[in-house]
Amino acid sequence: MAPETPSRGAPAEEAPPVSVATPAPIAVPPISEKEVAAAPPPASTEAKPPGVPERRARYDVAVLEALDKVTAESLRFEAAVGRPIRYKSLIFTVKACERSAPDEPIDDSIAYLTVDSQPRPAPGKPPLSPRQTFKGWMYASSPGLHPLEHPVYDAWLITCRAAAPPIASTR
């Protein structure tokens, strides 16, 4: 009778493990007091009372992204603090934009903004009054925490950044 060959799904036989001798431990010389370095000085020399958090950095530009749910068109844009900016029928006004402080556990961007809905006026007709659709804080790390609730549009905060310095003219 012929020896059986293992089928494709059956594991092949393995050789028994080879016994290897355990190496002897290496002796490490003790550390002398001359080799021990002193602890580095604290990073901040100011005496800061414990429990006082650092201040968040304020920025003057919020980077936002908006989505038109009907056409699936999205647009990433920048909105300066205090200056309204229009995306289709929405008007975004950023009141404040902050990044989390270094002592906070999560690096996040936070913006306080208002969003008004105001369709563009038809030619020859007076403009409609704006209707507020959102007012509050948006968090970049948690866009679903306090979202813009609108039947046609979604919008969320990406980050906060500083405005580019003005370019000096060379005239």
Side-chain angles (χ1 to χ4, degrees), residues 20 32 38 55 63 70 72 85 90 92 105-106 114 121 140-141 159 161 164:
V20 178
S32 67
R55 294 185 59 90
V63 179
V70 175
I85 189 160
L90 298 179
F92 293 85
I106 297 174
T114 60
S141 67
T159 190
R161 70 170 192 80

Side-chain angles (χ1 to χ4, degrees):
M1 193 164 197
E4 273 188 40
T5 56
S7 64
R8 291 187 171 227
E13 289 187 31
E14 295 182 18
V18 178
S19 63
V20 178
T22 307
I26 301 172
V28 178
I31 299 173
S32 67
E33 288 189 33
K34 292 179 184 178
E35 296 173 333
V36 176
S44 174
T45 56
E46 298 176 14
K48 190 173 180 185
V52 176
E54 291 186 35
R55 294 185 59 90
R56 290 183 172 167
R58 289 255 172 153
Y59 293 89
D60 48 0
V61 175
V63 179
L64 301 164
E65 190 158 347
L67 169 71
D68 183 335
K69 294 187 248 184
V70 175
T71 63
E73 175 189 359
S74 68
L75 177 71
R76 186 174 286 196
F77 58 95
E78 296 179 353
V81 172
R83 300 189 68 201
I85 189 160
R86 179 181 279 274
Y87 171 73
K88 298 197 177 191
S89 67
L90 298 179
I91 301 170
F92 293 85
T93 306
V94 178
K95 306 288 185 180
C97 201
E98 302 176 346
R99 300 268 329 227
S100 53
D103 64 344
E104 292 184 54
I106 297 174
D107 184 29
D108 197 6
S109 295
I110 304 111
Y112 186 83
L113 59 128
T114 60
V115 181
D116 297 324
S117 178
Q118 182 182 25
R120 293 188 186 267
K125 302 244 178 173
L128 298 171
S129 61
R131 194 181 81 227
Q132 189 174 68
T133 58
F134 180 84
K135 179 180 181 181
W137 291 95
M138 275 191 184
Y139 301 88
S141 67
S142 304
L145 185 61
H146 197 197
L148 167 72
E149 294 177 3
H150 192 277
V152 179
Y153 303 107
D154 273 343
W156 56 93
L157 175 69
I158 302 297
T159 190
C160 297
R161 70 170 192 80
I167 300 172
S169 63
T170 57
R171 292 184 191 183

